[in-house]
Amino acid sequence: MSFEFVKKLPTPEEIRNEFALPQELVKIKEERDAEIADVITGKSNKFLVIIGPCSADNEDSVCDYINRLTKVNEKVKDKLILIPRIYTNKPRTTGEGYKGIVHQPDPEKKPDFLAGLIAMRKMHIRAIQESGLTAADEMLYPENWRYLSDILSYVAIGARSVEDQQHRLTVSGFDVPAGMKNPTSGDLSVMLNSVYAAQHPHSFIYRGWEVNTTGNELTHTVLRGATNKHGNNIPNYHYEDLNLLLEMYGKMDLKNPACVIDANHSNSGKQFEQQIRIVKEVMHSRKLNQEIHGLVKGVMVESYLVEGCQKVGGGVYGKSITDPCLGWEDSERLIYDIAEYE
C-alpha cells in the first residue's frame, strides 16, 4: 500500500477528557451560542462580525489579538456580536505550504499531528478564558469536528469543501451555525443545495460509526466571490448579487434565510485593504433594501495585529504567514464604522 500508518491518534473523546473545557466556560459558550443563533433565526437584530487572522499560527499572538478584540466588543456589544476567527486548518490550493496548527504547531518544524490536536484545543480554550469570546473555525476535515465540537460557536465550510457530501452530512449534525461558502466557480445553486442538504436529517458513516443526524436549521450561505476559467476574480457582494441570492432563497424550501459576506478572498481579489470598502458597501446595501437588511446577517474579515503577510519564519509577531490581513488599527476602526451603520 502507498499509505504508511505512522501512529494511531487519540480519539476526540480522549483529547476532550484530557483537555476539558472548564465548567464556567461551558456556560459562556451556551450563552454565546444562543445569542448568535438568534441572529441567524431573525430573533435578534444584532450583526455578526467574524474577524481575525487568516490562519491561527501562534497561540500568543492570536490570544493577544482576541484580547484586544474584547475591549472593542465592550463598546459595540449592543449592536454587534464579534466572533474571533481561530482558523486552525488552512486549505491549500496546490497542497503546498503551511496547512495550519493541526499539521504544524510550530510552522518552522515538521508536522506533528498529536501535538497539533492538543495545541488547537488549548489555544481555543485559552482564548475563551482570557476574552469571554467563543470563536469560529473552518471545518476542513469533517472527521476532526469532534475535537472542537464543544468549543466552537460558528463553523465555516470552504469553497472547495462545500460540494463534498461528507462535509454536508457532518454539518447536518451541528448545533451551531454553519456558513456554506459558494464554490470557487461562483455557482450559487451549489451553495444553496449544500445548505438544503445540511438542514435535513441524514444517516451515514462517521469515524467508524453508523450515525443519524437531525439536520441543522442554522446552516446558511456565505458569499466569498468566484474565479472564472481565465483565473479572474468575480466579486459577488454587490447589491445585485444580494438581490439575486434573495430571489434564489425565495424559490427554495430553506429555514432561516441568512447570508454572511466574506470581504476577502475572491471578493477582494486578495487585496486585503479592499475589505474596508467592501464591508461598507455591504452595509450601505442593507440600508437601501429592507429585505437585504434581513438577509445579510454578518461579514467575515481577515485581520491580524500587523497588516499584510510574511513568509514562514519571517519573525514579525502577529503578521500572517498565509493570506495578507488588515492590521489592528484599521480593523478596530472598521468595527466601529460597522456599528455606526447599525
Side-chain angles (χ1 to χ4, degrees), residues 139-146 164 166-167 170 206-207:
M139 187 181 72
L140 186 57
Y141 307 110
E143 63 271 22
N144 286 355
W145 158 244
R146 294 285 296 167
D164 175 61
Q166 189 75 359
H167 281 82
T170 303
Y206 184 73
R207 295 189 62 89

Side-chain angles (χ1 to χ4, degrees), residues 299-310:
V299 290
M300 291 180 174
V301 177
E302 290 193 321
S303 154
Y304 213 172
L305 298 178
V306 179
E307 73 171 24
C309 65
Q310 63 184 332

Side-chain angles (χ1 to χ4, degrees), residues 7-306:
K7 62 183 174 184
K8 186 172 176 58
L9 295 169
T11 65
E13 184 178 17
E14 290 167 339
I15 292 284
R16 285 166 61 153
N17 287 339
E18 187 173 355
F19 302 96
L21 187 67
Q23 196 56 44
E24 65 271 19
L25 303 189
V26 172
K27 188 172 187 300
I28 290 173
K29 175 173 155 52
E30 288 174 353
E31 292 171 353
R32 288 267 296 176
D33 286 358
E35 189 179 20
I36 295 166
D38 282 349
V39 174
I40 301 298
T41 61
K43 292 180 183 176
S44 168
N45 289 322
K46 289 185 179 182
F47 192 72
L48 306 178
V49 180
I50 303 161
I51 187 168
C54 173
S55 58
D57 59 303
N58 178 280
E59 181 181 309
D60 289 337
S61 57
V62 168
C63 289
D64 183 350
Y65 177 94
I66 295 170
N67 285 327
R68 297 187 193 191
L69 207 59
T70 306
K71 296 174 184 176
V72 178
N73 184 65
E74 285 302 309
K75 299 176 183 178
V76 300
K77 63 183 180 181
D78 58 326
K79 295 180 178 180
L80 309 180
I81 299 176
L82 303 186
I83 306 175
R85 287 172 53 108
I86 304 181
Y87 278 36
T88 54
N89 298 281
K90 173 64 181 173
R92 309 304 312 207
T93 304
T94 64
E96 294 293 321
Y98 176 67
K99 297 181 179 70
I101 203 168
V102 173
H103 285 253
Q104 291 171 272
D106 185 334
E108 296 184 56
K109 294 181 180 178
K110 291 182 178 180
D112 185 337
F113 289 93
L114 175 57
L117 289 171
I118 293 169
M120 169 179 71
R121 191 162 173 87
K122 287 177 71 177
M123 177 166 53
H124 273 284
I125 291 174
R126 176 182 166 185
I128 304 172
Q129 283 175 323
E130 293 183 358
S131 71
L133 300 177
T134 49
D137 201 345
E138 179 174 349
M139 187 181 72
L140 186 57
Y141 307 110
E143 63 271 22
N144 286 355
W145 158 244
R146 294 285 296 167
Y147 287 105
L148 288 178
S149 58
D150 61 328
I151 288 177
L152 296 176
S153 284
Y154 186 96
V155 179
I157 307 301
R160 297 163 189 82
S161 302
V162 74
E163 297 185 68
D164 175 61
Q165 181 151 298
Q166 189 75 359
H167 281 82
R168 294 175 172 192
L169 300 187
T170 303
V171 171
S172 74
F174 286 11
D175 56 2
V176 296
M180 298 291 200
K181 293 194 175 185
N182 63 265
T184 53
S185 68
D187 189 338
L188 301 188
S189 64
V190 169
M191 173 181 65
L192 288 163
N193 287 337
S194 186
V195 172
Y196 184 93
Q199 287 194 355
H200 288 77
H202 296 282
S203 301
F204 58 103
I205 297 170
Y206 184 73
R207 295 189 62 89
W209 285 79
E210 177 184 338
V211 299
N212 295 321
T213 60
T214 57
N216 178 7
E217 294 184 355
L218 300 175
T219 309
H220 57 278
T221 58
V222 178
L223 296 179
R224 49 86 71 198
T227 306
N228 68 14
K229 65 182 181 181
H230 301 294
N232 299 321
N233 291 307
I234 308 167
N236 59 11
Y237 61 86
H238 296 304
Y239 183 90
E240 294 78 10
D241 299 300
L242 303 179
N243 250 338
L244 174 61
L245 180 59
L246 193 63
E247 291 174 15
M248 294 178 74
Y249 253 118
K251 295 174 182 176
M252 295 189 70
D253 182 23
L254 293 170
K255 302 286 180 62
N256 304 314
C259 177
V260 171
I261 308 301
D262 178 348
N264 213 12
H265 298 100
S266 292
N267 267 332
S268 70
K270 293 194 177 180
Q271 301 300 308
F272 70 92
E273 68 281 358
Q274 293 299 314
Q275 293 182 99
I276 297 169
R277 177 188 59 77
I278 291 166
V279 167
K280 289 181 178 181
E281 181 178 325
V282 170
M283 301 307 292
H284 182 64
S285 293
R286 291 178 83 239
K287 275 197 165 186
L288 293 177
N289 185 317
Q290 198 59 36
E291 286 187 300
I292 288 176
H293 189 280
L295 177 71
V296 178
K297 306 288 189 181
V299 290
M300 291 180 174
V301 177
E302 290 193 321
S303 154
Y304 213 172
L305 298 178
V306 179

